[in-house]
Amino acid sequence: MARSAREAIRTRALAAGFDAVGFARPGAVRSAGERLHAFLAEGRHGDMRWLEDRSDWRADPTALWPDAKSVIVCGMNYGPPETPDDATRGVIASYARGRDYHELLKGRLKDVGNFIYSRLGADVKVFTDTAPVMEKPLAGAAGLGWQGKHTNLVSRDFGSWLLLGEIFTTLDLGEPDAVVDDACGSCTRCLEVCPTAAFPAPYQIDARRCISYLTIEYEGHIPVEFRAPIGNRIFGCDDCLAVCPWNKYARTAQQSKLAAREATIGPLLAELAALDDAAFRKRFAGTPVKRTGRDRFVRNVMIAIGNSDSPVLTASAQVRLSDASELVRAMAVWALRRLDTATFHAERAARLPHESDAVVRAEWERV
């Protein structure tokens, strides 16, 4: 019974648009829960306080839903095409260039969940980065791949490019799928390529140093030591994913709704610097980029402009010196200093006496 039910669910999930499907027991990630508690105790989660909330549930899915007997883990390939790099254009992480995947995956997961409920008579709950669930360890326990040295899931078939969603069910689907052995070997490319040295050791990450965290999750002023390494990355970073040798087996995403929008492929920094809140919301509606809000996003854009070594972007930084957001003003000061020293000194003489924000004043006064 369990085997036939598994195959029926797998068939339905693949028909719904998923590229990989595996089965695990809810209690399979307890060892990963120990690593989570150590990660939190060391403060490596930074300001992501939601990781602390219900960390016991995250560490042990049987606490999240005691009645669950099986977990179906579904993966959707989002392998990106190659994109050119130009310092006057911003780089947005591949997963965020198309429609927000959360809604897309949730709809497909509900389709499979409804099948389980109506045809197999079991209760279900579906999750995709929306609940205290450790998705990558569960995906490993379900045989979809292994967590590489960059802590992300690596698949033999899709490289580092799988979006994950889970279906918890009261249906007992028997033994889990075979675990895939770690095949990173002696390779350390992902660790070495990180611009901010965010990996203190293989299989460990300090989010406080990660460009994805800094440009997406972090709400404050980005520390000076990380600004130059950020380069022109304005939302997330794919470096550790893209360099993985297992990507030789990856393929470009087939789901049209994950296809990159024109507005997210190498957008001009000058255009992004000019966005007010309404224009930002309109440009990035329906994409993950919208979640940062305009101020944090333009903060990132100012850093990219400062790293562009392009004098033509001086005016874009200069205009943002009057921005209502201190996040933006501070980084505009930093960018202007790097692009045009003479203009920087002239603007400082005019603006510093009237600047009330301590952090922005410190940027003007930085030696």
Side-chain angles (χ1 to χ4, degrees):
M1 168 61 183
R3 180 174 295 277
S4 61
R6 283 158 64 108
E7 291 313 307
I9 293 168
R10 193 189 306 274
T11 299
R12 183 68 178 219
L14 294 173
F18 290 105
D19 298 291
V21 185
F23 301 86
R25 292 290 194 186
V29 298
R30 290 195 179 100
S31 62
E34 296 172 5
R35 295 195 299 273
L36 170 66
H37 288 309
F39 172 81
L40 294 172
E42 292 167 358
R44 290 180 177 175
H45 59 304
D47 288 347
M48 294 186 290
R49 286 175 287 276
W50 46 267
L51 281 174
E52 299 176 40
D53 297 340
R54 298 177 177 174
S55 59
D56 289 341
W57 287 12
R58 199 177 295 275
D60 184 359
T62 59
L64 174 63
W65 190 23
D67 292 338
K69 293 184 173 62
S70 304
V71 180
I72 303 110
V73 184
C74 301
M76 185 175 289
N77 172 41
Y78 74 103
E82 292 294 326
T83 54
D85 193 8
D86 177 343
T88 65
R89 295 177 179 270
V91 175
I92 293 173
S94 299
Y95 84 89
R97 294 175 189 167
R99 176 180 169 182
D100 192 331
Y101 75 89
H102 295 90
E103 292 303 317
L104 174 62
L105 263 65
K106 185 176 288 186
R108 307 296 172 88
L109 291 169
K110 286 182 176 179
D111 176 87
V112 182
N114 287 335
F115 172 80
I116 296 170
Y117 178 78
S118 61
R119 298 290 184 88
L120 302 176
D123 290 333
V124 297
K125 294 182 186 292
V126 303
F127 306 110
T128 175
D129 198 26
T130 54
V133 175
M134 290 201 293
E135 297 186 313
K136 291 176 286 188
L138 272 174
L144 267 64
W146 68 96
Q147 278 190 266
K149 293 177 182 178
H150 52 20
T151 75
N152 291 288
L153 190 76
V154 182
S155 162
R156 289 181 178 272
D157 297 319
F158 302 100
S160 294
W161 311 112
L162 277 180
L163 300 171
L164 300 173
E166 300 77 40
I167 303 170
F168 284 46
T169 179
T170 56
L171 185 64
D172 189 341
L173 293 170
E175 290 302 308
D177 283 339
V179 173
V180 178
D181 291 336
D182 185 322
C184 288
S186 61
C187 178
T188 56
R189 292 185 192 179
C190 59
L191 309 183
E192 295 164 358
V193 77
C194 181
T196 53
F199 302 105
Y203 308 103
Q204 296 181 30
I205 187 169
D206 188 337
R208 296 167 297 184
R209 303 185 64 88
C210 175
I211 291 175
S212 286
Y213 166 77
L214 291 167
T215 58
I216 299 173
E217 303 290 348
Y218 186 55
E219 297 179 358
H221 295 276
I222 293 177
V224 176
E225 65 177 301
F226 301 128
R227 295 174 193 171
I230 283 174
N232 61 339
R233 302 168 188 84
I234 55 176
F235 188 93
C237 179
D238 284 337
D239 287 22
C240 67
L241 303 178
V243 76
C244 180
W246 284 97
N247 287 335
K248 65 185 176 182
Y249 298 111
R251 63 204 80 168
T252 302
Q254 298 301 305
Q255 290 290 331
S256 60
K257 291 180 180 179
L258 291 176
R261 299 181 181 182
E262 185 177 352
T264 64
I265 304 175
L268 288 167
L269 295 174
E271 291 182 3
L272 300 179
L275 295 175
D276 60 15
D277 188 66
F280 168 79
R281 290 174 176 274
K282 180 179 180 180
R283 180 167 184 140
F284 295 109
T287 75
V289 176
K290 186 181 176 184
R291 67 183 287 246
T292 62
R294 178 265 179 188
D295 293 349
R296 273 191 282 166
F297 183 74
V298 179
R299 170 201 64 183
N300 301 340
V301 172
M302 288 298 106
I303 291 175
I305 285 176
N307 289 325
S308 70
D309 197 27
S310 178
V312 299
L313 290 173
T314 298
S316 295
Q318 211 170 347
V319 168
R320 295 277 69 85
L321 296 174
S322 300
D323 201 90
S325 167
E326 66 275 9
L327 285 177
V328 175
R329 291 202 309 279
M331 292 306 94
V333 173
W334 183 82
L336 184 62
R337 179 195 292 270
R338 289 169 64 88
L339 290 179
D340 189 328
T341 304
T343 302
F344 169 81
H345 286 295
E347 289 284 6
R348 180 171 67 178
R351 293 176 182 272
L352 181 56
H354 309 289
E355 179 57 61
S356 60
D357 184 84
V359 176
V360 181
R361 288 184 63 86
E363 287 296 334
W364 281 120
E365 295 169 341
R366 190 182 302 281
V367 177

